[in-house]
Amino acid sequence: MTQACATLARWDTRADTTSRGIALWSTFYNRLLDGGPPDTCRRVPYDPAQPLTTPRGFNGDVPRVQRALADAVQEFAARDLPVDVELGAVQKWTGIPLPGCDAGCFDVVEAGPDSGTGTPTAGAFGSSFLMTVELAPDGPRAHTLLTYGESANPKLPHFSDQTRLFSRKQWVTERFTAAEIAAAPGLEVTTLRR
């Protein structure tokens, strides 16, 4: 328990593939949710006058909080995992480390150590299509990503290429203008005639 508390104290509060503490935090938080809403376990309860900073903190003196953390530590021990394991070591899609978490993250992702070999199966879910768009004076600028890849066939090149991009926090740049489209690598044009 001492090592678990130290891991949570050192956690960078991110859900990156290299973050240590998020795997323990997610497991702890899910155990805490199993007992109902965590509102009664907070050190500082929700205050409508301070909606951005409350609620916050968990009261470690509350037995439900203690039990949830102890259960999380026992689960890690049963899986032979250190409590400070990097997220990418335990959350993967086809062997590729995935960022994100299932509660409290912008990128909602949950996958186990070996979560399938195709499109998301049981044990892997979350953000699947991501898109950012800026409507700039010279035209739209967009970036997209298919978290779990474009193809369900593991033999095709687009099976997990975008999953690798997602793991590295990279995007696919979309093309809108004729010049951008013409400059696309590997562009193939097919002209259809009547």
Side-chain angles (χ1 to χ4, degrees):
M1 292 296 287
T2 301
Q3 186 180 6
C5 290
T7 295
L8 292 174
R10 287 189 308 267
W11 174 38
D12 63 7
T13 68
R14 300 183 61 87
D16 295 333
T17 58
T18 57
S19 293
R20 294 181 181 274
I22 180 62
L24 177 63
W25 167 259
S26 292
T27 304
F28 157 72
Y29 192 71
N30 284 323
R31 297 298 166 275
L32 191 62
L33 288 178
D34 288 345
D39 300 341
T40 59
C41 302
R42 301 286 188 172
R43 286 205 182 275
V44 179
Y46 175 70
D47 179 353
Q50 300 177 31
L52 299 179
T53 59
T54 63
R56 67 178 177 269
F58 286 105
N59 185 346
D61 297 328
V62 174
R64 182 174 153 204
V65 173
Q66 295 170 355
R67 203 169 30 254
L69 185 57
D71 289 348
V73 170
Q74 286 181 340
E75 180 178 329
F76 274 64
R79 293 172 58 196
D80 200 26
L81 292 171
V83 292
D84 67 344
V85 66
E86 286 187 351
L87 180 62
V90 294
Q91 181 167 271
K92 299 179 181 184
W93 177 252
T94 67
I96 301 168
L98 295 180
C101 67
D102 63 343
C105 286
F106 181 73
D107 275 325
V108 176
V109 172
E110 183 176 3
D114 184 12
S115 298
T117 57
T119 54
T121 59
F125 69 88
S127 303
S128 57
F129 174 73
L130 306 172
M131 181 177 194
T132 65
V133 178
E134 176 186 6
L135 300 176
D138 58 340
R141 295 182 193 140
H143 295 43
T144 61
L145 196 69
L146 292 166
T147 306
Y148 300 101
E150 192 170 6
S151 173
N153 184 341
K155 296 178 182 176
L156 295 178
H158 296 297
F159 172 66
S160 60
D161 57 344
Q162 291 190 38
T163 307
R164 286 188 291 279
L165 291 175
F166 180 66
S167 180
R168 295 188 307 255
K169 297 183 177 184
Q170 296 174 333
W171 294 83
V172 173
T173 300
E174 298 301 331
R175 294 164 174 84
F176 288 95
T177 68
E180 289 171 341
I181 294 168
L187 175 67
E188 291 182 24
V189 177
T190 303
T191 303
L192 302 177
R193 302 196 192 281
R194 287 188 184 177

